């Protein structure tokens, strides 16, 4: 498994520990562990004109009404899969490697 960014057909941008699910040599889906929706926020300051504004990336749980931490989604729902920038990957790993989550049995 590896930490990857995924863009879904719904427009959601996720980061997750990702594993390809294959059948007869072709990818049919993805198993996502601890998927998080990514969003940007702009930090404002009292003296905003004098300082550059800062942008931060926020993680929020995908499927907030579920207790599950592992999800399987079909490949046709994924538009793009790519590697995150190192600082984003490091932040994600710091948040989730402290408390490893179980994976679905295969």
């Amino acid at each position: 498994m590896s930490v990857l960014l995924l863009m879904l057909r719904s427009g959601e941008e996720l980061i997750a520990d990702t594993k390809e699910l294959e059948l007869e040599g072709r990818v049919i889906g993805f198993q996502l562990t601890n998927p998080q929706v990514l969003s940007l926020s702009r930090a404002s300051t009292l003296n905003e004109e004098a300082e550059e504004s800062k942008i931060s990336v926020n993680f929020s749980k995908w499927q907030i009404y579920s207790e599950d931490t592992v999800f399987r989604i079909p490949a046709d729902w994924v538009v793009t899969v790519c590697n995150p920038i190192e600082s984003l990957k490091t932040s994600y790993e710091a948040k989730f490697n402290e408390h490893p989550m179980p994976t679905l049995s295969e």
Side-chain angles (χ1 to χ4, degrees), residues 1 5-6 13 15-17 20-21 25 38 47 54 56 58 69 76 103:
M1 298 216 311
L5 295 173
L6 298 97
E13 294 180 278
I15 186 169
D17 200 1
E20 290 182 346
L21 302 173
L38 297 173
N47 192 4
K54 296 180 182 180
S56 63
N58 302 306
T69 57
D76 66 345
T103 59

Side-chain angles (χ1 to χ4, degrees), residues 31-55:
Q31 178 174 300
L32 308 179
T33 302
N34 294 316
Q36 298 289 301
V37 177
L38 297 173
S39 61
L40 296 175
S41 64
R42 185 172 170 220
S44 57
T45 61
L46 294 175
N47 192 4
E48 194 169 310
E49 291 178 18
E51 297 181 28
E52 282 188 35
S53 60
K54 296 180 182 180
I55 295 178

Side-chain angles (χ1 to χ4, degrees), residues 55-91:
I55 295 178
S56 63
V57 177
N58 302 306
F59 299 117
S60 56
K61 185 179 182 214
W62 187 62
Q63 301 298 330
I64 61 173
Y65 300 111
S66 175
E67 291 180 351
D68 296 338
T69 57
V70 179
F71 301 88
R72 290 182 176 170
I73 58 172
D76 66 345
W77 258 87
V78 178
V79 176
T80 305
V81 177
C82 59
N83 292 305
I85 59 174
E86 193 60 36
S87 59
L88 184 60
K89 181 180 177 183
T90 301
S91 295

